[in-house]
């Protein structure tokens, strides 16, 4: 298909998104390296395991930003013969590497803190070290808010997650500062225990990142709001009676390809259907950035009013079962005694048993008909564009 002029703003948005990710990540790299260097110097001077672990955490954040930049650059490469849908999924692989680094940093921190609990060593904080830690708390708060703001602007979950992580780091650094003040005031050393707490949170953060990234790689249910928006756009077209079975494949952030079934009247010509599908392709892409790579057609009875009571009767039979979520694609040819429709079934049910049960019930109501029932999975939001 020739490129529509409406694709130009989408391409510009993708280019700006990449620039924001790289620029924000570079800021994060510089700030985190500086914080790590200051905290490492304080930790070594004061003999503080908590401060050293906090420095390690900043260093892992800097490394994460480096990998984010590399991933964004590689993901932005143009499609080629081997990868016709582009390289966007590299961002998910880089996120998985970051998660593994964070998880390993947490395990290392836990080990070192545990050793300090078993063999404690006295810390020696100076006023300068306390001031630097306090400044680090403020810097992390500012950095976190900056990352979250830029993440929303670029629609980058990675940047928003980095922002949340930076704000959380501010809390951890504040806990280190409090433990240092308690030690100076009472002589009670809590830093090794604070180190264990910090390590626990780092480990949890790594596991959460792995889980989220793994869902992106495996493929998860599309965003319900996006599904409703696309189905609603299609259902508002005067020729389209309903939009169903919207399936989206993601090839990286902002790279979604979809297929959908639409219901059209049996009076429509192929030329009219062709013109319609081209129009909705451009319309959906312009509004959402999602490419409709495949549009399949269900026909519905527009010439035979006698099909309406049959359709309603069949809907009533099928929807009486709790496992049935939706009936669509219904068509009946009363002259040939043929009937066909799809049923969306809840996950966790035996499809063969369900099809057999429904076929028997509908066949009992219409014994002279040849009945074809196709099961569908609940792959997207149900209910948009449905007409009984």
């Amino acid at each position: 298909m020739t490129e529509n002029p409406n694709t130009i703003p989408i391409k510009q948005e993708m280019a700006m998104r990449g620039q924001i990710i790289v620029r924000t990540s570079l800021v994060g790299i510089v700030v985190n390296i500086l914080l790590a260097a200051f905290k490492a110097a304080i930790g070594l001077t004061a003999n503080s395991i908590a401060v050293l672990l906090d420095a390690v955490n900043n260093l892992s954040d800097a490394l994460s930003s480096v990998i984010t930049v590399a991933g964004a650059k590689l993901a932005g490469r143009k499609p080629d013969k081997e990868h016709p849908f582009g390289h966007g999924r590299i961002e998910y692989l880089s996120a998985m590497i970051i998660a593994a680094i964070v998880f390993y940093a947490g395990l290392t921190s836990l080990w070192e803190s545990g050793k300090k609990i078993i063999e404690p060593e006295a810390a020696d904080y100076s006023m300068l070290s306390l001031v630097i830690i306090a400044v680090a708390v403020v810097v992390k708060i500012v950095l976190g808010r900056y990352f979250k703001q830029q993440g929303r602007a670029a629609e980058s979950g990675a940047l928003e997650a980095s922002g949340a992580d930076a704000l959380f780091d501010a809390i951890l650094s504040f806990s280190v500062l409090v433990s240092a003040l308690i030690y100076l005031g009472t002589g009670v050393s809590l830093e090794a225990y604070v180190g264990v707490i910090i390590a626990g949170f780092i480990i949890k953060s790594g596991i959460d990142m792995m889980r989220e990234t793994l869902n992106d790689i495996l493929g998860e249910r599309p965003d319900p709001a996006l599904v409703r928006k696309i189905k609603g756009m299609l259902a508002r077209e005067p020729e389209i009676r309903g939009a169903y079975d919207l399936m989206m494949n993601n090839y990286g952030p902002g790279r979604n390809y979809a297929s959908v079934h639409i219901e059209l009247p049996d009076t429509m010509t192929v030329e009219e259907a062709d013109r319609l599908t081209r129009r909705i392709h451009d319309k959906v892409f312009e509004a959402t950035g999602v490419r409709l790579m495949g549009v399949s057609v269900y026909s519905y009875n527009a010439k035979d009013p006698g099909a309406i009571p049959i359709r309603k009767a069949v809907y009533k039979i099928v929807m009486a079962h709790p496992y049935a979520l939706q009936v669509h694609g219904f068509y009946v040819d009363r002259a040939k005694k043929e009937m066909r429709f799809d049923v969306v079934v809840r996950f966790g049910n035996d499809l063969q048993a369900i099809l057999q049960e429904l076929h028997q019930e509908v066949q009992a109501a219409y014994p002279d008909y040849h009945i074809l029932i196709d099961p569908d999975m609940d792959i997207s939001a149900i209910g948009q564009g449905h007409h009984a």
Side-chain angles (χ1 to χ4, degrees), residues 29-340:
I29 291 170
V30 173
V31 172
N32 279 303
I33 287 178
L34 291 175
L35 288 176
F38 281 123
K39 290 179 182 179
I42 295 170
L44 292 172
T45 303
N47 195 28
S48 170
I49 183 63
V51 177
L52 284 173
L53 293 182
D54 206 15
V56 171
N57 190 33
N58 285 134
L59 199 58
S60 69
D61 289 343
L63 182 57
S64 297
S65 294
V66 171
I67 296 173
T68 298
V69 171
K73 287 292 186 182
L74 292 173
R77 292 188 300 173
K78 295 181 178 180
D80 53 37
K81 184 177 180 180
E82 289 76 22
H83 310 93
F85 294 102
H87 302 79
R89 285 180 175 171
I90 289 178
E91 285 196 38
Y92 299 146
L93 297 178
S94 62
M96 184 62 76
I97 294 173
I98 292 171
I101 292 172
V102 172
F103 183 71
Y104 177 76
L107 291 178
T108 304
S109 300
L110 183 62
W111 174 259
E112 294 298 328
S113 297
K115 289 197 301 184
K116 286 291 185 179
I117 291 176
I118 297 173
E119 300 176 0
E121 296 180 9
D124 183 19
Y125 295 102
S126 66
M127 183 58 66
L128 178 62
S129 66
L130 296 179
V131 171
I132 292 177
I133 295 174
V135 170
V137 172
V138 176
V139 170
K140 272 294 186 178
I141 291 175
V142 174
L143 185 65
R145 297 186 65 178
Y146 173 69
F147 265 75
K148 288 179 75 69
Q149 180 184 23
Q150 295 300 305
R152 285 191 293 269
E155 295 184 357
S156 170
L159 286 184
E160 290 196 61
S162 296
D165 185 51
L167 293 173
F168 184 69
D169 288 346
I171 297 175
L172 297 182
S173 295
F174 182 73
S175 67
V176 172
L177 178 62
V178 171
S179 66
L181 293 174
I182 292 174
Y183 176 74
L184 291 175
T186 66
V188 177
S189 179
L190 300 174
E191 63 169 30
Y193 298 96
V194 171
V196 170
I197 295 174
I198 292 174
F201 281 116
I202 295 174
I203 291 172
K204 182 181 182 301
S205 176
I207 293 174
D208 290 342
M209 290 172 64
M210 286 182 181
R211 184 185 298 113
E212 182 178 346
T213 306
L214 188 60
N215 286 336
D216 289 328
I217 294 173
L218 289 177
E220 56 185 347
R221 184 185 294 275
D223 177 14
L226 179 60
V227 170
R228 287 192 296 270
K229 181 176 181 179
I230 294 175
K231 286 187 175 182
M233 290 173 59
L234 297 179
R236 284 192 293 273
E237 292 290 325
E239 303 94 334
I240 298 176
R241 184 172 180 271
Y244 310 96
D245 307 329
L246 179 64
M247 180 182 294
M248 277 196 276
N249 293 307
N250 177 264
Y251 288 88
R255 298 171 177 86
N256 290 308
Y257 298 84
S259 62
V260 69
H261 280 88
I262 57 176
E263 273 191 326
L264 301 178
D266 57 3
T267 55
M268 202 169 187
T269 66
V270 174
E271 190 274 333
E272 290 171 333
D274 175 53
R275 191 165 58 239
L276 170 66
T277 55
R278 291 174 184 272
R279 185 171 77 243
I280 62 176
H281 175 279
D282 293 339
K283 180 180 179 181
V284 169
F285 184 76
E286 180 183 0
T288 67
V290 175
R291 289 187 179 274
L292 285 180
M293 302 300 291
V295 180
S296 301
V297 174
Y298 295 125
S299 62
Y300 70 85
N301 297 99
K303 296 181 292 186
D304 182 11
I308 296 176
I310 298 176
R311 184 182 75 236
K312 290 184 176 181
V314 171
Y315 279 20
K316 186 175 181 180
I317 292 172
V318 176
M319 296 306 293
H321 296 282
Y323 53 70
L325 292 173
Q326 186 187 75
V327 179
H328 59 249
F330 182 90
Y331 191 85
V332 59
D333 188 327
R334 292 199 297 158
K336 294 182 179 180
K337 299 292 184 181
E338 294 178 348
M339 182 190 306
R340 59 182 182 268

